[in-house]
Amino acid sequence: MLVNFTVNGRAVQVDVEPRTTLVDCLRSTLRLTGTHSGCEHGVCGACTVIVDSAAVRSCLMLAVQAEGSVLVSVEGLSREDGLTPLQTAFRKHHALQCGFCTPGMLTTAHALLSKEPDADEARIRSVLSGNLCRCTGYIPIIEAVLEARAAYRKKDNS
Ligand code: FES
Ligand code: FES
């Protein structure tokens, strides 16, 4: 089936089987391998991308369901000339080790702070509780997201 959507500002058309998941489409068809595939059944959050401004587990969504949507993957959160404030905060606070969970952490945090730049620690913890990390102990991740809020308040987050 032909499916049309926008990803990271680029209009794309992909030819996928109806059963193809969005994560497989992103990684295998579009070669956007920054989106990681972990549990493949909605538990770990590693595959999280932003679909029409909402954080979505791309292993639980079919590619055909993305028809007409605007997607942002972790690649779309980067810029050419350096790190974004969220990425800078992750580096400063050592919020990643192996990095497997990091794309999902970044997309989830970006979706949250874009809508709720004043999210408090409890809210951030609640939203990120669906993203599993086996390395960091979560504290550095929470500290990084808390620090990044200032850039989202000023809308200086890209
Ligand atoms: S790979 Fe999608 S939630 Fe784990
Ligand atoms: S940094 Fe390794 S799983 Fe999170």
Side-chain angles (χ1 to χ4, degrees):
M1 295 180 68
L2 294 178
V3 186
N4 297 279
F5 54 83
T6 300
V7 58
N8 303 334
R10 181 168 61 103
V12 298
Q13 182 179 73
V14 292
D15 189 5
V16 293
E17 294 185 37
R19 64 184 174 87
T20 303
T21 60
L22 182 58
V23 65
D24 285 344
C25 175
L26 290 171
R27 290 181 54 84
S28 300
T29 307
L30 294 170
R31 306 304 298 165
L32 291 169
T33 54
T35 299
H36 289 165
S37 181
C39 66
E40 298 185 337
H41 61 276
V43 174
C44 73
C47 66
T48 304
V49 296
I50 301 169
V51 181
D52 297 330
S53 302
V56 168
R57 275 144 213 254
S58 58
C59 69
L60 294 184
M61 181 171 170
L62 297 172
V64 295
Q65 292 176 294
E67 174 69 33
S69 294
V70 175
L71 276 63
V72 179
S73 68
V74 69
E75 291 90 345
L77 300 184
S78 296
R79 63 188 190 198
E80 298 287 331
D81 61 339
L83 299 177
T84 66
L86 184 59
Q87 292 168 333
T88 299
F90 265 63
R91 183 170 71 174
K92 174 182 171 184
H93 289 277
H94 307 289
L96 65 151
Q97 290 180 31
C98 79
F100 192 84
C101 70
T102 309
M105 293 290 182
L106 290 171
T107 49
T108 302
H110 180 80
L112 171 64
L113 296 184
S114 295
K115 290 180 184 168
E116 300 177 44
D118 294 316
D120 62 12
E121 182 173 341
R123 174 68 174 150
I124 293 168
R125 283 179 176 274
S126 173
V127 171
L128 287 180
S129 66
N131 290 66
L132 303 184
C133 175
R134 301 186 70 169
C135 304
T136 66
Y138 299 101
I139 301 295
I141 294 172
I142 302 299
E143 290 175 342
V145 178
L146 283 167
E147 180 163 315
R149 293 180 304 177
Y152 286 81
R153 290 186 188 119
K154 292 189 289 184
K155 300 197 183 306
D156 178 28
N157 58 356
S158 60

